[in-house]
Each structure stands twice: as structure tokens, then as C-alpha cells.
Amino acid sequence: MSEERNGEDIYGDKHKEANEPIFSGIPTFLKLPEADRDELDEEDVDVGILGAPLDTATTIRPGTRYGPRAVRAASTVPSPPYEHFNIETGVDPFDTFSVADTGDAAVSPGDTRQSQLNIEDAVYEISEQATPIVIGGDHSISYPDIKGWAEANGYEDIGLIHFDCHADTGEDGLTGFKYDHGAWVKRVYDEGIMAGENYTLIGPRGFWPGPDTYEDMRDAGMKWYTAMEVGGMDLDKIVEDAVERATDGTDAVWVSFDVDVMEPAYCPGTGEPEPGGLIPREAIYMVREVVKALDPDDFGFDVVEVAPQYDVSDTSSYNGGITSGFANRLIIEVMGSMALAEKGLESGDPIKPEEPLGPTETTETPADD
């Protein structure tokens, strides 16, 4: 993807500058440079951020059209945009990748299908030149995301790792529209570019879809780990299985993250909250480990279903809220793990205390008689 370099090489004098307050300027993702989608190669961009502000394929609470704006707002934290050293993993993605915000795909609230085709075109354009990271929008955008990405790169067989409260494998979605946010996995499967054996769902719970759909998924070779199973299992085992399945005989892997997989106490800003979800440490850890095990040159990611108006800490999206802040964090974690994978490393170089963690062992001297 890119040669060995550091953030200062990539971004110049701005590397360590927080050059303006978070409430000033145009809120691109992390206040990174804007780039036209047809110029990413020319600008030497490795990762292209795209907003897909579509929510007319949702079926319960609308509002994810504001997701890209809210996630961008939440990303403008008081930190230099070109320097994000993770104190836990010891890696800064901006020492490895040039990242740019390519704006939003064109959507028309009155024409859902055309909007999805526009998203597909935008992802195709990015994917010809860079790795796409897409901010939704409702989950219906993942079908055009994956289709555009796969066609741009000539992928014939892809793996899919899907974090979600719902399977989204309905034949006609939730209300009879075959392109709604509850049917996109089935649309990808029907394209013939994904076999059931290369699909893993992490975190489903609740009451939809019903048993007939899950029986069809089982017959297709699909696999899932419910939220309760995630809570009771070794996360590394889940990650290992999902990665093995996704990479078995495939050309590339897409990771799709629906924020309703999370316990709504942590991510309330979504259209279909369901109690009993993942906690942030589980989700962040699994995303880190999954992406670290994948080839960053044959990879794509989207995070969807952020609906900021339902977020208890977000009344304006001027600086994001709990849920949009979590989505922002996931994107930075994804880029950090991509950087580790690019360098062939299991971990970076986090700064640790001189003394070992935990209480200092002491040898007690017996008291004199």
C-alpha cells in the first residue's frame, strides 16, 4: 500500500499541529484533507473516507441520514488530525497511511434505489485507487458498498464479517422492499460473490429474523455467534473462526459494523436498539483483532445505523454524541489495525511503565521471637 514513512513525511508541518479549535472550520473526518474521488491516485491517498447519508431504506426509526455528519463532528476531538497514537496498541495509522475525506455520495430522499446506485458508484471510484471506509446511513448501503468495491477490484469471491443485532438476510427485508436494510446480506449472497461458508455474524439477539430465515442461513453454511455467546466465550476464538471463514478461498474481506450490535446503554443513537448487546471493550477488541488479521490491500469497512437524534448526549451533532463518538473510534481502530497488518506486526510499541503491572511482590521477613 505505502512505503515505510511517518506522519510528518505524509502530512508535513501540520503533523503535530491542532491548527484550529474543534468548533472551527469544515468538519471533515478528523479534519483530514478533502480530496476529489477521481484524484485519489494523483494525491497518493491510501484510505478514502466516504459518507453515505441514506436512511430511506430503514424500516422503523429514520435519522441515519445524519450519521456521517455526526460521526465527522465527533471525530473533531482536540487532537492533531494527523497524529493518533493509540496508547493501548502502540500504533499511529497516520505513520503508515495517507487518509482523505472524499465527502458524501449523492442521495435523493425520493429515490432510494438510485441513491444506492450512486453510493455503489462512489465506492467503486474510491476502490479503484484506495481502501474505502464508509460511514452510513442505514445498513442497506452495505450492498452497494460491497458491490462497488468488489467490481472495482475484480473480486469474484469475498468474505464477510458482520457485527449486528440482526442477520439482515431477509428475502424481502422487513416490509417487502428487497433493498431495505434488513435484506442487504441476501442481496450480496444472491450476487454469487459470497458463499455462506465465508460469512460470520457476530452479536445477533432479540426476535428478528425468525426461525425460517435462520434455517435458510444454516442450510447456506452461514455461521453466527449470539450476543450472549459472545459474552460467555473467549473473544479470540470468535475472531479466529470468523477470519478463517472469511479468508478461506476468497479474494478479499469486507467488515460491516452496525452500531445496534451494541448494548443501547452504550450506543443509544440508533434506529433499532435492542437490550443485551455487546459492550465497547468487546467490540473494539474484536474489530482490532479481525482487521489486524486481514490484508489491508484487499479490505473494506463500513459503520452504519448511527442516528444521532436518538443519542442522549447529542442534541445538535455539533460535536457528536456517545454513539457517533463510538463510531469514530471504531474507524480509527480499523485504520490502526490496518497499519499493523501492513507492517506484518502483531502489536505496535505502546509506552509502558518501568515496573510490571500489578502489585509489587515483596518478601516478608519473619519477626524475631
Side-chain angles (χ1 to χ4, degrees):
M1 198 175 254
S2 52
E3 69 274 10
E4 184 68 28
R5 52 188 176 174
N6 59 46
E8 192 166 356
D9 295 333
I10 298 170
Y11 297 104
D13 293 340
K14 293 182 177 181
H15 174 49
K16 292 191 175 183
E17 293 181 9
N19 13 345
E20 62 184 7
I22 59 174
F23 50 81
S24 297
I26 297 172
T28 62
F29 184 75
L30 293 178
K31 292 198 173 180
L32 287 164
E34 296 177 83
D36 291 336
R37 284 191 287 274
D38 60 355
E39 296 179 355
L40 301 186
D41 234 357
E42 181 181 327
E43 298 292 332
D44 198 24
V45 172
D46 300 309
V47 178
I49 307 293
L50 175 72
L54 174 71
D55 68 358
T56 52
T58 194
T59 51
I60 299 183
R61 301 195 300 183
T64 57
R65 66 182 64 184
Y66 294 104
R69 178 175 293 183
V71 174
R72 286 185 173 107
S75 78
T76 57
V77 292
S79 174
Y82 317 105
E83 185 178 38
H84 277 72
F85 178 82
N86 188 311
I87 65 172
E88 293 178 313
T89 62
V91 64
D92 185 338
F94 299 109
D95 284 347
T96 303
F97 302 127
S98 170
V99 186
D101 192 326
T102 71
D104 289 347
V107 300
S108 170
D111 193 337
T112 299
R113 189 68 191 117
Q114 184 59 53
S115 297
Q116 292 170 339
L117 293 173
N118 294 345
I119 293 167
E120 181 181 325
D121 289 343
V123 175
Y124 183 103
E125 198 166 13
I126 292 171
S127 301
E128 286 185 301
Q129 309 160 83
T131 296
I133 292 181
V134 187
I135 310 170
D138 68 51
H139 217 156
S140 75
I141 71 160
S142 290
Y143 171 51
D145 288 350
I146 291 170
K147 191 175 179 193
W149 165 75
E151 290 185 354
N153 290 284
Y155 300 140
E156 296 182 356
D157 299 285
I158 66 111
L160 177 57
I161 299 176
H162 176 197
F163 292 84
D164 204 326
C165 176
H166 310 101
D168 294 351
T169 51
E171 178 61 45
D172 296 308
L174 282 80
T175 57
F177 177 47
K178 67 183 294 187
Y179 296 104
D180 84 13
H181 68 163
W184 69 271
V185 175
K186 187 63 163 59
R187 300 289 78 80
V188 173
Y189 179 77
D190 288 347
E191 284 286 328
I193 60 171
M194 182 193 75
E197 291 81 3
N198 298 130
Y199 168 86
T200 304
L201 170 64
I202 299 172
R205 60 195 186 278
F207 311 101
W208 189 89
D212 290 348
T213 301
Y214 271 102
E215 286 174 2
D216 290 342
M217 291 168 61
R218 181 176 59 195
D219 292 343
M222 296 180 176
K223 193 170 186 178
W224 55 93
Y225 291 88
T226 69
M228 289 294 180
E229 288 165 342
V230 170
M233 290 184 66
D234 182 341
L235 299 182
D236 288 315
K237 298 294 186 185
I238 299 172
V239 167
E240 182 181 359
D241 186 31
V243 169
E244 283 184 1
R245 289 171 55 82
T247 57
D248 184 13
T250 61
D251 305 318
V253 178
W254 188 274
V255 176
S256 186
F257 195 102
D258 185 332
V259 296
D260 72 15
V261 75
M262 304 300 294
E263 165 57 46
Y266 298 104
C267 286
T270 192
E272 299 188 26
E274 181 71 42
L278 307 188
I279 64 173
R281 280 192 300 273
E282 292 171 336
I284 289 171
Y285 180 79
M286 285 190 288
V287 167
R288 279 180 184 169
E289 296 302 303
V290 161
V291 177
K292 192 170 68 178
L294 301 174
D295 183 345
D297 288 328
D298 295 305
F299 170 75
F301 176 77
D302 59 24
V303 57
V304 301
E305 298 286 357
V306 173
Q309 63 273 50
Y310 308 119
D311 201 324
V312 294
S313 69
D314 186 353
T315 58
S316 65
S317 289
Y318 290 154
N319 196 34
I322 295 172
T323 312
S324 48
F326 174 77
N328 159 61
R329 172 67 181 273
L330 275 184
I331 294 171
I332 302 172
E333 294 286 355
V334 164
M335 293 192 297
S337 288
M338 287 174 61
L340 289 174
E342 177 76 4
K343 297 172 182 290
L345 298 175
E346 276 295 311
S347 64
D349 191 17
I351 312 303
K352 294 294 186 183
E354 286 188 9
E355 294 184 359
L357 299 180
T360 303
E361 294 183 8
T362 58
T363 302
E364 295 185 6
T365 304
D368 294 334
D369 292 333

